[in-house]
Each structure stands twice: as structure tokens, then as C-alpha cells.
């Protein structure tokens, strides 16, 4: 089902690479209680994979909302999720932030540096995704988007000086195994497991994340 970065956690949600987008979306809602909604999808045109939105230069082909009212479409019901993906089985899996989790978005190089530092600090992580455009998203408790600017300032950084963004209410993340056109699929850097069902507060992770982003400038 989802692609996972070699050498990282392998457990839960789920292990079958052949599982469909439909079944994956249902399991996110059923097992993690995450809200999900279907986004755009990829269509073959003259041998080229294009976004269903019709924009030939789409920035995130097959991996963005298909409707303006996506926030009201998102559901935590496995039954409703199954019904939505039955209508469009190849639709991307998108997760709204600001509900069951916020996400801290950092560059891939800083993300891997932070992961190594967090492991040494023996911090408990939530799930972490890696996108084909080389970004990592660390799942944390909701409310992080409000806290991050002040937390970064307390660490001695100007929020605008770091490539670190908190994704909260009104935005979303793409979940594995959603594909970004021909660039590849979203992967788990840290998979959802029973051990990380309870998400960390952003205050626990902000120091290593800010440090890594500062080093990565």
C-alpha cells in the first residue's frame, strides 16, 4: 500500500503494497480516526500523466483538492470515505490539518537531521511523511500553528528566517500512497503505529526542528 522509506519503522497502516487508495483511505478513518477527503487524480493523456484539474502546469498534479468546499467534504467516517472513493477510486488521499493533528513542514534535509537528533533525545514521534517535492511533515497535536511563531522566537530565531511552517486549520497534507504526477508518491518516514497513536505536542519537537532548519539555511 504506502511506500515506506527503507530502514524506517514498518508496522500498521497497513503492510499490503497492493491495497487500493480506497481501502487505505478507509483505514486512515477507521484505525487512526483521521478525517479524509478525495482530491484530484491522474489521467493519461497522449501517454502523459496529467492532473484531473485540467491545468497542464499544475504544481501538484493529482495531489490537491478537487473542490473548493473540501473542508466540508472531509469525513472521519469509514463508511462515508468508502462511498466517496468508490465514485473515484484513483483520487488522492488528503488529510485536513487543524482537526485531529497539525503538521510541521520542513525541508527533507532538515527533517532527516531532526529525526536523527530526536532519536538521540529519545523523543516520541508521531507519523512523519516525506513528499516527492522533498518536504517532510511531522504530525503533532492540533494548535501547533498558533504556537510555533512564539516558540521559534523563544529559541532565538526569527520565524521568517527558517524554512519551517506549521500547517493548521484551513490547509491539508497528502497522505501515502498519493502520487505527485511523475515525481513519485508520498511516503512514510515514520509510519503510523500503535506506539504513536498519541501525538506529541509541538513544544516537544520544535527545538530539534528549528535547530535542523537553522543548520539547513
Amino acid at each position: 500500500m504506502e511506500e515506506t522509506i527503507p530502514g524506517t519503522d514498518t508496522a500498521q497502516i497497513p503492510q499490503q503494497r497492493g491495497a487500493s487508495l480506497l481501502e487505505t483511505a478507509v483505514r486512515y478513518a477507521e484505525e487512526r480516526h483521521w478525517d479524509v477527503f478525495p482530491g484530484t487524480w491522474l489521467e493519461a493523456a497522449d501517454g502523459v500523466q496529467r492532473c484531473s484539474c485540467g491545468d497542464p502546469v499544475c504544481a501538484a498534479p493529482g495531489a490537491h483538492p478537487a473542490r473548493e468546499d473540501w473542508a466540508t467534504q472531509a469525513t472521519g467516517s469509514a463508511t462515508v470515505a468508502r462511498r466517496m472513493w468508490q465514485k473515484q477510486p484513483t483520487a488522492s488521499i488528503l488529510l485536513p490539518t487543524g482537526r485531529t493533528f497539525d503538521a510541521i513542514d520542513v525541508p527533507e534535509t532538515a527533517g532527516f537531521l531532526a529525526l536523527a537528533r530526536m532519536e538521540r533525545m529519545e523523543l516520541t514521534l508521531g507519523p512523519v511523511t516525506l513528499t516527492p517535492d522533498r518536504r517532510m511533515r511531522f504530525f503533532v497535536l492540533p494548535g501547533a500553528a498558533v504556537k510555533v511563531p512564539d516558540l521559534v522566537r523563544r529559541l532565538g530565531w526569527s520565524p521568517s528566517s527558517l524554512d519551517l511552517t506549521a500547517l493548521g486549520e484551513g490547509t491539508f497534507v497528502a497522505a501515502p500512497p498519493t502520487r505527485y504526477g511523475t515525481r513519485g508518491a508520498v511516503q512514510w518516514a515514520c509510519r503510523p503505529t500503535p506506539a504513536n497513536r498519541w501525538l506529541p505536542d509541538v513544544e516537544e519537537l520544535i527545538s530539534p526542528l528549528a535547530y535542523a532548519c537553522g543548520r539547513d539555511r
Side-chain angles (χ1 to χ4, degrees):
M1 183 181 88
E2 301 97 329
E3 298 178 39
T4 307
I5 298 169
T8 58
D9 248 343
T10 55
Q12 295 312 96
I13 301 242
Q15 296 177 2
Q16 309 98 301
R17 278 188 174 273
S20 66
L21 285 157
L22 183 155
E23 293 301 334
T24 307
V26 167
R27 293 189 70 170
Y28 287 148
E30 196 168 59
E31 297 183 8
R32 297 301 289 203
H33 305 295
W34 289 340
D35 282 5
V36 298
F37 68 97
T40 52
W41 56 92
L42 297 173
E43 298 176 331
D46 300 323
V48 178
Q49 293 286 328
R50 299 192 186 280
C51 186
S52 62
C53 73
D55 183 352
V57 291
C58 179
H64 65 84
R67 298 164 38 161
E68 290 186 7
D69 64 344
W70 61 264
T72 60
Q73 184 189 23
T75 180
S77 164
T79 301
V80 175
R82 182 177 297 278
R83 193 179 307 132
M84 289 195 294
W85 266 270
Q86 282 174 339
K87 293 178 181 177
Q88 183 47 254
T90 58
S92 52
I93 302 173
L94 306 180
L95 312 175
T97 51
R99 299 188 184 187
T100 50
F101 64 87
D102 280 5
I104 308 303
D105 177 280
V106 298
E108 174 189 309
T109 49
F112 279 118
L113 178 62
L115 280 175
R117 190 174 178 86
M118 290 172 188
E119 186 175 338
R120 292 194 299 272
M121 296 168 69
E122 298 184 348
L123 294 178
T124 301
L125 289 175
V128 182
T129 63
L130 173 63
T131 68
D133 56 355
R134 303 178 70 86
R135 306 293 299 183
M136 291 179 77
R137 276 104 186 232
F138 290 72
F139 289 21
V140 295
L141 288 173
V146 176
K147 297 178 182 178
V148 161
D150 189 50
L151 291 172
V152 168
R153 289 188 195 95
R154 288 188 208 171
L155 292 169
W157 299 96
S158 164
S160 61
S161 70
L162 298 181
D163 188 1
L164 181 156
T165 306
L167 305 176
E169 187 174 358
T171 188
F172 64 90
V173 297
T178 294
R179 300 193 70 82
Y180 278 53
T182 58
R183 284 177 269 171
V186 182
Q187 303 176 62
W188 289 115
C190 291
R191 295 176 68 90
T193 69
N196 63 23
R197 183 171 293 278
W198 301 103
L199 298 176
D201 192 288
V202 67
E203 293 182 27
E204 301 171 50
L205 307 186
I206 194 64
S207 178
L209 283 170
Y211 171 80
C213 288
R215 284 276 303 270
D216 193 47
R217 291 191 305 171

